[in-house]
Amino acid sequence: MLLEAAPETEVLGEAAHGAEAVRAAAELRPDVVLMDIRMPGMDGIEATRRIVAAGGRSRILVMTTFDLDEYAYAALRAGASGFLLKDAHPEELLAGIRAVAGGDAVIAPTLTRRLLDTYAQRLPAGPPGPPGGDDPRWLSLTDREREILVAIGHGWTNGEIAERLVLSESTVKTHVGRVLSKLGARDRIQAVIIAYDLGLTQPNSPS
């Protein structure tokens, strides 16, 4: 009802389970899919993986609760562009949909870092040798772009990157866009995951 009442959104369809969601996304090609995780048959993580793998325009916004946080990392790796809690306020839901539709990640960089820190044990072992090593994704970046990727992995916002690297925010935004393009990352969240995979950043040590 909320989405139908908002002039900027149009509900194209609904799905009762993951397999139906995959079919509907392929047929309807929505800008944003609001995905539950626990569903009969194919769960939301596998449905997200299949929708993203199909290479369509649809971006996935996972609706979750704190009780489902154990699945968050798997959903991120499957290609989700962010998370909203099921009890989110209407304005938060609409803002999240707008952000994802516009190519941004819903989860703030600092929250993304905290989420990945919590589930760091799910990450594969880092590559041997120096961070980045001979991974072609790392080698494709310029020195400045590597600095930007490391900063993204640390959870810094564009403003923080600009301040620490003494750059303008518009320049940082340009660099971030180039980094995402070269890495084939759908959004900032995926870039954070890649930074972890490359060993560019590590989980926070226990306090």
Side-chain angles (χ1 to χ4, degrees):
M1 288 187 294
L2 169 67
L3 297 179
E4 289 174 342
E8 62 191 309
T9 61
E10 178 184 1
V11 178
L12 298 182
E14 297 180 54
H17 51 78
E20 187 178 341
V22 173
R23 289 194 299 270
E27 294 171 3
L28 301 173
R29 300 180 68 246
D31 295 309
V32 179
V33 175
L34 296 180
M35 182 71 73
D36 199 354
I37 290 182
R38 288 181 173 172
M39 294 184 288
M42 183 189 299
D43 64 18
I45 294 172
E46 180 60 25
T48 294
R49 184 177 296 111
R50 295 193 185 190
I51 292 172
V52 171
R57 61 184 289 179
S58 302
R59 299 172 66 84
I60 314 298
L61 180 55
V62 174
M63 303 296 292
T64 185
T65 67
F66 288 119
D67 291 336
L68 294 178
D69 270 355
E70 70 228 51
Y71 301 107
Y73 180 70
L76 285 178
R77 290 196 69 86
S81 293
F83 292 85
L84 283 178
L85 298 178
K86 290 184 176 179
D87 60 356
H89 296 299
E91 60 272 17
E92 292 175 331
L93 175 59
L94 292 174
I97 292 172
R98 283 194 298 269
V100 169
D104 291 329
V106 170
I107 305 177
T110 51
L111 182 55
T112 304
R113 176 63 191 269
R114 191 191 323 159
L115 174 65
L116 290 177
D117 282 347
T118 302
Y119 296 100
Q121 67 271 21
R122 297 176 182 266
L123 287 161
D134 59 359
D135 189 291
R137 295 172 296 184
W138 177 250
L139 296 178
S140 72
L141 303 177
T142 66
D143 289 343
R144 176 63 81 187
E145 288 165 353
R146 291 176 180 180
E147 287 183 308
I148 296 293
L149 177 57
V150 171
I152 292 173
H154 286 317
W156 297 353
T157 64
N158 284 356
E160 289 170 335
I161 295 173
E163 181 179 352
R164 298 188 191 204
L165 298 185
V166 195
L167 299 169
S168 69
E169 282 201 47
S170 61
T171 298
V172 170
K173 186 175 181 180
T174 298
H175 282 309
V176 169
R178 289 175 181 166
V179 168
L180 296 183
S181 178
K182 287 186 177 182
L183 296 178
R186 289 168 63 86
D187 51 42
R188 202 181 188 102
I189 290 179
Q190 299 302 310
V192 173
I193 292 175
I194 291 172
Y196 270 74
D197 286 343
L198 294 177
L200 306 180
T201 185
Q202 297 297 326
N204 291 329
S205 301
S207 55

